Amino acid sequence: MDSETPAPESSLRVNFARAQRQLQTINKSELASSSVEYQSQAQALVKLLKTCTTQVDQLSLFSSNETPDDYSTSELKLLLVSAYLGEALQKLSASGNRVAILEEAAASYKKFLLTAQLLGIVDKHAVDVEQLLTADSNASSDRSKASDPGRDRVQKIERFKKLRALQLSITELEAKLAGGDGAAGGKSNKEEDSDDDMEEVERDHAVKLIELKIYQVVDDLDILKGEMKMAQQMEEMKRRSAGNSEADGRSRPGPGALPDEASDGEWRLDSQAYHQIDPRTGRPSVRPVFNSKGQPTQPFVLTNSRQAIKDSVFRPGWALPTMTIDEYLKQEEERGGIISGGGKEPDAKPEIDDNDYEALDAETMKKREWDEFTDNNPRGAGNRGGNRG
């Protein structure tokens, strides 16, 4: 048995290293997640990670009787296989069996959390793994217990702070590892003393990666719950639509044939089945407008609203002017909203002749008297309380 063990273990490490590189490539890829090339890469990654999972299970690497100190650094990294598999499964876009894929991803995430909990890596103060692992089995009892929004918010904030601290620490450790790898070569006596330090850095990096993945998996499980609920609703709608299409495709009596009472409600145009209530089930009708053969299943009205919808796409959300100011004034004038005419306009003040000295002197005296009046009566002097200090 001892001679056969190293071979699968070494191949497992090679496969895991390949899976890590492929996952990093997909995460940094600029391809659309729905493209064929992206999906082919995701499928290849899922296949490789499933192979790694099988190899880990065959070797029975992790046990509840051991601690993280009992494992080497390379063995401890293999704990991430289940988490990577769940992440890769989420990247698959299968419309037919989306619920099954999400359930498999959730199972991989929970397997990773359970193993991390058995090894004592999970921080119980920040991550409540027991609640996550028993959420499905005790779903009815959890609904009856009202969650505390304040406590959930405090936990999320605490988890976010630790997540940021872990990311910064991992970045620093990766920089140290990159510097150590770049300086690898001939070793002197001083460099031999630093080998132990590099091993400690590499192990610390592996532990930090696992802790970071634990926080990310907790958030991904919350997202998976909502997505799984939506996928289940979509599949239920598809099953209902397929059942209605199958019912609409039944054979109807040909011309000249008299329908019986049982099928009378299925082919008559004035049947209540084409309105709000289906008389066969007593439930609201959810039939589409056309069945699978292109035949109408309910009355419909053709409207010429396509151009109106097209015009309203690239227009602002506020009301735009429909006429100019001149058009509005003309319209108001026609409605009688503008009053024109009236009394005689006052005559213009005649200009004083420059040779009429008496008129010029009189105009000058008038201005002087007005100036003296304004000097003796400042503005606001006549108001009550205007002169008060």
Side-chain angles (χ1 to χ4, degrees), residues 361-377:
D361 293 340
E363 182 68 21
T364 304
M365 292 300 298
K366 183 177 180 181
K367 291 180 179 180
R368 287 179 181 177
E369 292 176 355
W370 177 249
D371 292 339
E372 292 178 356
F373 176 81
T374 55
D375 292 339
N376 298 328
N377 301 278

Side-chain angles (χ1 to χ4, degrees), residues 64-110:
S64 59
N65 298 326
E66 298 175 347
T67 63
D69 297 334
D70 297 330
Y71 296 96
S72 64
T73 303
S74 59
E75 291 175 344
L76 200 60
K77 289 181 180 180
L78 297 175
L79 183 63
L80 295 168
V81 171
S82 299
Y84 288 161
L85 178 58
E87 183 179 356
L89 286 169
Q90 280 188 277
K91 299 181 184 299
L92 297 179
S93 60
S95 58
N97 55 347
R98 182 62 180 171
V99 176
I101 292 177
L102 295 178
E103 290 177 350
E104 187 177 359
S108 299
Y109 281 149
K110 291 179 180 179

Side-chain angles (χ1 to χ4, degrees), residues 262-281:
S263 61
D264 181 59
E266 298 181 1
W267 70 275
R268 288 183 56 182
L269 294 178
D270 58 346
S271 172
Q272 294 181 359
Y274 292 97
H275 299 288
Q276 298 297 327
I277 304 298
D278 191 342
R280 295 172 295 177
T281 61

Side-chain angles (χ1 to χ4, degrees), residues 313-382:
V313 172
F314 299 105
R315 64 176 299 174
W318 59 87
L320 297 176
T322 58
M323 62 180 67
T324 62
I325 297 178
D326 295 336
E327 291 175 350
Y328 170 74
L329 293 176
K330 183 178 180 181
Q331 182 177 348
E332 286 294 318
E333 185 178 3
E334 292 176 354
R335 291 176 57 251
I338 299 178
I339 300 177
S340 60
K344 182 179 179 181
E345 295 181 359
D347 297 334
K349 185 178 180 179
E351 296 182 359
I352 301 176
D353 190 6
D354 294 339
N355 297 325
D356 190 354
Y357 297 106
E358 294 182 358
L360 291 174
D361 293 340
E363 182 68 21
T364 304
M365 292 300 298
K366 183 177 180 181
K367 291 180 179 180
R368 287 179 181 177
E369 292 176 355
W370 177 249
D371 292 339
E372 292 178 356
F373 176 81
T374 55
D375 292 339
N376 298 328
N377 301 278
R379 188 173 182 178

